[in-house]
Amino acid sequence: MKQKYKTNAINLKSYDFGEADRIVLMYSQQKGLIKCMAKGSKKINCKLCGRMDMFVANNLMLNKGKSMDTVCQAEIVNSFFRIRESTEKIFYSMYCAETVKNFGQENDEESEDIYNLLYGVLSRISESGSEAEIILAAIRFQLKIMKILGYGLEFKLCNICQKEISSYSKFSLEFGGLICEGHIIPGEKGYRIHPKIKEFFMAMQETDFNNKTDYDKLANITVLKPCFELLKSYTEHCSPKRYNSTKVLAI
Ligand SMILES: [Zn+2]
């Protein structure tokens, strides 16, 4: 008898397999990254059709296989259908999904936290009413996932001399956070950080998706976009795999 198990999982990517089947890469709440066979899911009238689409969160029943597990049942937990409303929502969701795909592993110890974070950000992006709200959700996601993965960013103290940062500072990809004015070499390339931006990052790091801060009302995309890009360069710097979706985002 085949061994069966249940888990919640979010679809990150799918590949066509033959005429009717798809192989779907998912991030699961209990077992981290899983790759499974979804038989018949390319056919329009198949029960799995739609449930195996990008970003959909399902409660799954899987058959354990030697090289790959097979989906026997899928019940939609959340399709995050409003993500499909705009290209911005799709792009930022793709970036978050790709981050989980690049850093995620089978049987991750932190799988529950990572799953919940991905679920949270997709939910926020799906329900966002403006581009600013979408980017704010993505920034929170970036800061939190890096912390879970052990690449947490330090904004309060200088990463070299440990002194509190009170004026302009520089963002360092290598040190994973800020370095104070004393270590800035004039003319050297890098991102100069205004003290207000430092405070913004710290606030985003501490609040979750459902708790609003003053920034949720005030922040506009001219400030948010470079902040997102900065953190994106950090996730790319730390990533064990290369990103594909971010090429589109960089436009
Ligand atoms: Zn310093």
Side-chain angles (χ1 to χ4, degrees):
M1 212 170 105
K2 278 186 180 163
Q3 206 192 332
K4 284 193 165 123
Y5 68 95
K6 273 186 128 178
T7 185
N8 288 332
I10 296 171
N11 303 333
L12 304 176
K13 197 174 177 152
S14 74
Y15 314 84
D16 288 348
F17 188 81
E19 274 180 28
D21 307 337
R22 272 192 286 187
I23 292 171
V24 188
L25 189 67
M26 307 171 178
Y27 197 84
S28 69
Q29 198 166 19
Q30 286 83 11
K31 287 174 171 282
L33 210 58
I34 49 172
K35 201 187 243 186
C36 27
M37 175 66 78
K39 287 197 173 137
S41 63
K42 267 175 77 184
K43 291 183 191 160
I44 291 162
N45 56 0
C46 168
K47 267 201 288 185
L48 289 181
C49 173
R51 296 170 197 196
M52 293 298 117
D53 288 349
M54 272 288 275
F55 315 128
V56 176
N58 289 295
N59 181 252
L60 302 167
M61 173 81 85
L62 295 131
N63 256 335
K64 193 116 196 71
K66 262 192 194 146
S67 59
M68 207 184 292
D69 302 346
T70 309
V71 179
C72 14
Q73 265 178 49
E75 246 176 77
I76 294 181
V77 177
N78 198 332
S79 65
F80 306 110
F81 71 97
R82 290 186 61 200
I83 288 177
R84 290 153 190 86
E85 277 175 357
S86 79
T87 46
E88 283 83 18
K89 287 186 178 183
I90 293 171
F91 289 152
Y92 286 97
S93 301
M94 276 175 70
Y95 164 79
C96 295
E98 190 168 15
T99 302
V100 169
K101 180 173 84 64
N102 284 356
F103 287 93
Q105 290 177 356
E106 281 177 40
N107 298 313
D108 263 335
E109 274 180 33
E110 316 292 344
S111 72
E112 183 144 11
D113 288 346
I114 296 173
Y115 174 90
N116 291 343
L117 185 62
L118 182 61
Y119 190 99
V121 74
L122 293 178
S123 197
R124 279 308 320 157
I125 292 176
S126 178
E127 288 154 25
S128 288
S130 68
E131 194 175 357
E133 269 185 64
I134 300 170
I135 306 175
L136 272 168
I139 288 173
R140 278 185 165 102
F141 168 84
Q142 290 172 312
L143 292 166
K144 287 169 193 299
I145 192 133
M146 294 318 272
K147 192 165 181 197
I148 295 173
L149 294 165
Y151 299 98
L153 286 150
E154 171 64 54
F155 294 110
K156 198 168 185 252
L157 306 175
C158 168
N159 279 272
I160 295 176
C161 66
Q162 311 300 322
K163 278 187 202 141
E164 191 149 343
I165 288 169
S166 52
S167 58
Y168 270 94
S169 56
K170 202 183 104 176
F171 187 87
S172 162
L173 293 176
E174 286 73 25
F175 286 101
L178 302 181
I179 57 174
C180 74
E181 256 184 330
H183 313 293
I184 300 175
I185 301 161
E188 193 192 35
K189 259 176 83 182
Y191 307 92
R192 222 162 160 245
I193 304 290
H194 190 279
K196 285 221 160 75
I197 297 293
K198 178 201 82 164
E199 282 165 26
F200 164 69
F201 280 137
M202 285 170 70
M204 290 299 107
Q205 215 169 24
E206 279 155 27
T207 56
D208 74 30
F209 296 109
N210 303 316
N211 293 347
K212 301 254 161 149
T213 64
D214 289 345
Y215 297 106
D216 291 80
K217 278 177 254 148
L218 299 171
N220 65 64
I221 57 167
T222 5
V223 179
L224 293 175
K225 271 193 173 167
C227 289
F228 170 81
E229 289 296 326
L230 185 64
L231 296 176
K232 177 161 78 69
S233 59
Y234 181 61
T235 58
E236 285 174 342
H237 174 80
C238 301
S239 174
K241 289 178 192 151
R242 278 188 61 180
Y243 276 79
N244 295 314
S245 70
T246 49
K247 286 183 205 132
V248 194
L249 276 171
I251 294 168

